[in-house]
Structures are given as structure tokens and as C-alpha cells.
Amino acid sequence: MRTQVLIVGAGPSGLLLGQLLHKAGVDAIILERQSADYVLSRIRAGVLEQVCTDLLDAAGVGARMHREGLPHTGFEIMNNGKRHRIDLLGLTGGKSVMVYGQTEVTRDLMDARKSAGLPTIYSAENVAVHDFDTAKPRVTYEKDGQSFEISCDFIAGCDGFHGVCRASVPRKSITEYEKVYPFGWLGLLSDTPPVCEELIYVNSPRGFALCSQRSQTRSRYYLQVPLSDKVEQWSDDAFWAELRLRLDEEGRSKLVTGPSIEKSIAPLRSFVTEPLRFGRMFLAGDAGHIVPPTGAKGLNLAATDVKYLSDAFIEFYQDKTEAGIDHYSERCLRRIWRGERFSWWFTQLMHTFPDEGAIASKFQQAELDYLLHSEAGLRTIAENYVGLPLDFGTAAKN
Ligand code: APR
Ligand code: PHB
């Protein structure tokens, strides 16, 4: 078998890349370790920047998102029981975000791929990448007890944090930057109306909480918990009781509780790999970088990697130029570090750090007090939250 671009991983990055390439007439095969149902069972964040919704439109998969997604023009920060609205629209000159679950984005991309008859090989075992430092890369895998090989022009490593692509790069050719946070997020999904029309990020003395949503009848809540906590220790009742303690009076009175549909604990990590290109293999999305979920930048950063990568491949085939490929890593990393910085900063600002002492919490409160009462401070939060434009800073650089 042969293809132009072999994509490893059918998460949102791999599927979006496949769709953008297909639109431009570039062939791709996707190899995925799991089943399609398994991929769809993963619950992740659900706030899309306009750069991301524009890309989904360009890929031809935006229709349901526009019908069912919820445009949000602001969100709330609650500090010590007091709410402050971040007016995204007013502070950014008209920008907003779209609340639409990542699972739904993935489903729309899968459906589009299926109806276009494009090849995705699910349940592919022992995927291995070969010869990516030559002009003739290959990928091997096993399925139903048989071995297969696909030769290609390029390998796109869209295989997430635990994937095979990054792991196959010689250690001397790669630098990894990592910070692991001393707590996790316990998330609960329920078919209950959200406590508020907008998202609420809560800094309380008992720890961070987030009130998010998937629709007008489905809510997603999170609690900061110690890393040592196990999800089995948290009954639904215990979750709701703790959430109440972190909310204000209005939140407590409006909160509608119900049985959980899903409950899980996720660790928080900042992680970046440099570079993102290794000969004819490229990393995109979680394969190359992870952000803590505060601010929901993960999918948005993945989507812009994929835009840069699809542009580079399309230029290679249509215009016979390698310029996009040569600049991929640098272009992506500049944007990634900005997203990483915001996610790290917003995490520091909103969580309780028990080991950092009383002075750290005083500094944090002073910073919040400053930001939430300064036009410049509010604008800084808003412009990062809606996402920096794709060409941000390019003019200044030139
Ligand atoms: N072979 C084939 N597929 C693999 C392999 C492998 N060896 N290893 C991992 N995969 C698959 C995983 O099963 C998964 O379906 O690659 C896919 C990677 O998908 P994601 O982890 O969702 O990563 P990505 O598509 O980059 O999506 C980024 O996910 O975690 C969030 O915040 C993140 O929203 C962002 C988004
Ligand atoms: C979510 O809805 O899951 C979500 C929303 C915003 C975040 C993180 C997660 O910052």
C-alpha cells in the first residue's frame, strides 16, 4: 500500500488533517490504535476559539456546530465568593468563543470522513514508523493477526501524548520541556441544566472549581483535587457537596444536581517538544504538546498545528515548494508557547498551591485584585481566552 501522507492517530488532530488534505486533493490514510467507539468515549474540553471554528468550516464540518453549539460572549471569574464578568466581546473588539464538546467535533469529523469514503484503519496494533529521516518513510502495523506496510511521502504524528511517533525519535534529536502540577481535576458530566448561562472559573480557599456545560441540558463541572485522590472515593453526592462549598450563594441556590454520566480525574501538565519536525515526520496536537485544561487551549492549539501542517503539505504538492515544511516547527512553536504560557499562568492564578505557603496565596490574591479591576488586566485575560490571531506578532517580527 502507498499514500502521500500517512496519519498516525484518529483523534481530532488526525481527523482534521485528513479532512483538510482531502479538500485539497492530497491522499491520506489514518491508522488508529483504538476503535472508533473508544475514541468517541473520551470526554475532553469544549471551548472553541474562532480560529478553530473557522478551520472546522474550511474542512466542511461546521454545520452541526453552528446549529447546536453555544456562542459565549463572556465568562465569569469567581474569587472569594465574588463574581467578575469577563466581557469577551467588549474587551476584544467583537470576538467570542463557541461552547461545543470536543467529542462532538470528533464525531462530525468521523462522519465526514466516512461519507467521503476515506480510509481510516481502526484497531491497528503495533504501529511502527520507519525511515522518516529518508525520502521514503514507511509505517508498519498489524491487524487481525496479519502484518501490513504502507509507504508514504510524509508521516503526520497525530497520536497524542502516549503515541509512537514522538517515542520513535532518537533522544539526542529532541528536547522535552515539562511541568507537572501538584493536583488534578475531578470532572463530572450530568444531564442537568448548567448553573449559569456562562462558564464560571472559581478560585476558592477550598481549591479551584469550574462550572462548564455542553448544552442547555448537559453540564460539566470540575473540582481541583489532590493527586492522591481516586475517582472511586468520590460519590456523586460528595462531588456536589464539595462544589457547593466552592460556589457563592447564588450558585448554591441555582445548582441542579443529578446522577453523573461520567466521572474521572485528569492530572495537569504543561509539556512541549522541540522541534516538531524530524525529517519527513511531523508532530501535531497532543503528540507535541500538552497544556493544563484551565482556559481550554488544548484542542485550539492542536487545530492551528494542523492548519500549518496541511498548508505545508498542500504547498508541497501544488506549488512544489518545501518552504511551509521547513518553517512548520518554528511557526507552530511560537504559537504553542503563547498558548502554553497562558494556560500555565491561568492555572497559577486560579488554583490553590498548598505547598507554596501563605505568601503565595497573598500574591495570587493581589494579582487577581489587580487584574479584575484594571481594564488592561481584563483585556489580557480576554484576548488570550478568545485566542490570539494566527498571524499575531508577525508584523512586529518583520
Ligand atoms: N498507533 C495508532 N494510534 C495511536 C497510537 C499508536 N501507537 N498511539 C495513540 N494513538 C491514537 C490514540 O488512540 C488517539 O485516538 O492517537 C489518537 C490521539 O488523539 P488525542 O489524544 O485526542 O490527540 P489529538 O488528536 O492531538 O487531540 C488533541 O485532545 O487531549 C486533548 O487537549 C487536547 O483537545 C486536545 C486534543
Ligand atoms: C470543559 O467544558 O470541559 C472545559 C471548559 C473550559 C475549560 C476546561 C474544560 O477551561
Side-chain angles (χ1 to χ4, degrees):
M1 259 193 293
R2 196 190 140 73
T3 189
Q4 291 177 307
V5 181
L6 187 293
I7 302 173
V8 186
S13 301
L15 289 166
L16 180 59
L17 179 62
Q19 211 56 29
L20 292 169
L21 292 178
H22 167 63
K23 288 261 154 198
V26 177
D27 283 349
I29 296 177
I30 305 186
L31 280 182
E32 166 60 53
R33 173 162 66 182
Q34 306 288 355
S35 68
D37 284 346
Y38 182 91
V39 172
L40 284 176
S41 69
R42 295 188 294 228
I43 309 283
R44 274 140 174 202
V47 180
L48 310 183
E49 298 173 3
Q50 198 183 323
V51 167
C52 183
T53 60
D54 287 350
L55 264 175
L56 294 171
D57 285 336
V61 296
R64 191 164 71 100
M65 170 188 74
H66 288 294
R67 268 196 325 272
E68 297 178 14
L70 306 170
H72 279 211
T73 58
F75 69 93
E76 310 227 8
I77 290 184
M78 189 187 293
N79 186 36
N80 272 325
K82 193 166 175 320
R83 296 187 192 206
H84 305 260
R85 181 163 191 267
I86 310 296
D87 170 18
L88 295 175
L89 212 57
L91 289 160
T92 64
K95 291 196 189 148
S96 55
V97 291
M98 176 75 88
V99 171
Y100 188 64
Q102 183 174 316
T103 313
E104 303 313 314
V105 172
T106 309
R107 194 190 305 278
D108 294 342
L109 285 161
M110 274 183 181
D111 288 350
R113 191 163 178 83
K114 207 166 163 194
S115 47
L118 302 172
T120 312
I121 298 158
Y122 284 101
S123 308
E125 290 167 37
N126 297 322
V127 173
V129 292
H130 311 274
D131 304 334
F132 50 84
D133 51 348
T134 74
K136 292 187 174 169
R138 298 175 297 125
V139 177
T140 53
Y141 67 98
E142 286 157 29
K143 184 166 163 100
D144 301 330
Q146 275 187 280
S147 301
F148 298 90
E149 177 172 308
I150 306 178
S151 55
C152 54
D153 297 329
F154 300 106
I155 298 172
C158 299
D159 48 349
F161 184 64
H162 300 288
V164 66
C165 293
R166 192 183 71 250
S168 304
V169 173
R171 292 299 89 188
K172 63 176 175 19
S173 310
I174 194 166
T175 307
E176 295 178 347
Y177 299 88
E178 183 171 47
K179 177 178 174 69
V180 178
Y181 297 84
F183 42 73
W185 277 20
L186 169 66
L188 181 147
L189 189 68
S190 65
D191 275 329
T192 53
V195 66
C196 174
E197 273 178 22
E198 298 189 328
L199 270 63
I200 315 175
Y201 290 81
V202 183
N203 179 319
S204 96
R206 300 182 65 91
F208 171 80
L210 171 61
C211 306
S212 182
Q213 54 192 263
R214 293 288 176 271
S215 71
Q216 270 142 13
T217 54
R218 183 168 283 189
S219 301
R220 179 73 168 159
Y221 295 102
Y222 295 96
L223 294 174
Q224 173 185 351
V225 294
L227 267 181
S228 51
D229 276 18
K230 299 277 168 276
V231 69
E232 304 75 46
Q233 290 167 241
W234 282 91
S235 66
D236 290 358
D237 286 347
F239 184 99
W240 295 120
E242 183 59 35
L243 179 60
R244 275 178 205 289
L245 291 173
R246 298 188 192 187
L247 290 177
D248 60 351
E249 217 24 74
E250 184 188 345
R252 275 191 277 278
S253 69
K254 290 199 175 147
L255 183 68
V256 182
T257 63
S260 61
I261 313 173
E262 193 264 3
K263 208 162 44 189
S264 52
I265 295 182
L268 270 68
R269 182 194 307 274
S270 296
F271 173 84
V272 182
T273 296
E274 290 191 355
L276 295 168
R277 176 197 179 176
F278 306 91
R280 287 198 161 223
M281 182 167 79
F282 299 80
L283 304 180
D286 278 16
H289 47 87
I290 299 282
V291 285
T294 332
K297 289 289 162 230
L299 176 59
N300 294 297
L301 285 179
T304 44
D305 291 359
V306 166
K307 177 180 169 37
Y308 293 143
L309 191 55
S310 61
D311 285 353
F313 288 150
I314 294 165
E315 280 168 35
F316 176 88
Y317 289 110
Q318 290 180 353
D319 308 332
K320 312 272 179 272
T321 164
E322 300 203 5
I325 285 171
D326 289 342
H327 291 128
Y328 172 72
S329 203
E330 189 197 339
R331 239 178 135 190
C332 271
L333 281 164
R334 194 148 179 244
R335 187 173 176 81
I336 289 163
W337 277 115
R338 286 176 179 155
E340 290 278 345
R341 185 211 65 84
F342 174 67
S343 308
W344 157 79
W345 174 78
F346 201 30
T347 301
Q348 295 274 125
L349 192 65
M350 296 304 296
H351 290 74
T352 304
F353 288 79
D355 298 336
E356 291 185 18
I359 193 165
S361 121
K362 287 282 185 189
F363 284 146
Q364 189 191 56
Q365 284 303 312
E367 188 172 6
L368 273 165
D369 190 28
Y370 159 66
L371 289 165
L372 297 172
H373 297 96
S374 145
E375 172 85 12
L378 293 168
R379 208 180 287 281
T380 294
I381 298 173
E383 92 172 346
N384 281 279
Y385 195 84
V386 299
L388 300 176
L390 269 179
D391 55 358
F392 185 88
T394 342
K397 198 185 169 198
N398 289 340

